[in-house]
Amino acid sequence: MALVLRWALARVDRPADPPSLPRKRAVSARLVGSLLIVTAMLGIAWGAADDLISDAEYHVLRPAGPEGCTAVVRETSFLVIGNGEAYAVGPTGLALGKSAAWTVDDGYRPVGAGTYELDWRRDGGLLRVSGTSTDPVVRGGSADIDCGW
């Protein structure tokens, strides 16, 4: 993202006709571009720090669903609480939003432990996570994997 923004900023700095772009506008465009680059870099750093602090684990669930839809799960644990998030990932490899989330007692990670079921339908899937008798799922527990891009 930062490289794309830098390229766009360089294009703004090289007008086809130098008198057509006032100097003040070029400086403003450069400042906005620089702020966008810094924002993108901070977002990447924030995401990486969050994964390190929460000891995140990612799981790609198989088999894939209709039209190459794939369920990807992010599980984290902090102190005595475990959290999970499910994402639908399309053929592009991008997840455009969280499908569902759940919370588990004592930092248990149900997908990592294999205590889940994934059933695919025509329009998506249903992911059911279950804890144990000592580490129950306290919020959530089932997730619709929405593949309707």
Side-chain angles (χ1 to χ4, degrees):
M1 177 66 122
L3 292 174
V4 169
L5 291 172
R6 182 65 194 139
W7 175 80
L9 182 61
R11 300 274 304 179
V12 169
D13 283 345
R14 286 185 287 130
D17 186 13
S20 69
L21 185 64
R23 181 162 178 76
K24 188 174 183 179
R25 184 171 165 202
V27 170
S28 296
R30 190 179 5 226
L31 178 63
V32 168
S34 296
L35 287 174
L36 288 173
I37 290 170
V38 168
T39 302
M41 291 171 50
L42 288 175
I44 291 168
W46 180 272
D50 182 44
D51 276 359
L52 289 173
I53 291 169
S54 62
D55 191 27
E57 292 178 359
Y58 291 85
H59 304 279
V60 178
L61 306 184
R62 298 287 183 218
E67 299 180 23
C69 181
T70 304
V72 175
V73 171
R74 178 182 186 260
E75 289 185 307
T76 60
S77 178
F78 188 72
L79 296 176
V80 294
I81 297 294
N83 293 300
E85 301 164 343
Y87 299 88
V89 178
T92 62
L94 296 175
L96 298 178
K98 185 174 13 177
S99 291
W102 58 88
T103 304
V104 185
D105 194 21
D106 288 339
Y108 183 67
R109 298 177 187 210
V111 174
T115 56
Y116 70 93
E117 293 177 33
L118 176 61
D119 297 316
W120 288 105
R121 302 179 305 263
R122 245 184 256 150
D123 60 341
L126 178 64
L127 175 65
R128 288 183 296 278
V129 295
S130 54
T132 64
S133 60
T134 57
D135 301 320
V137 175
V138 295
R139 183 183 59 87
S142 65
D144 282 323
I145 307 298
D146 182 16
C147 299
W149 336 108

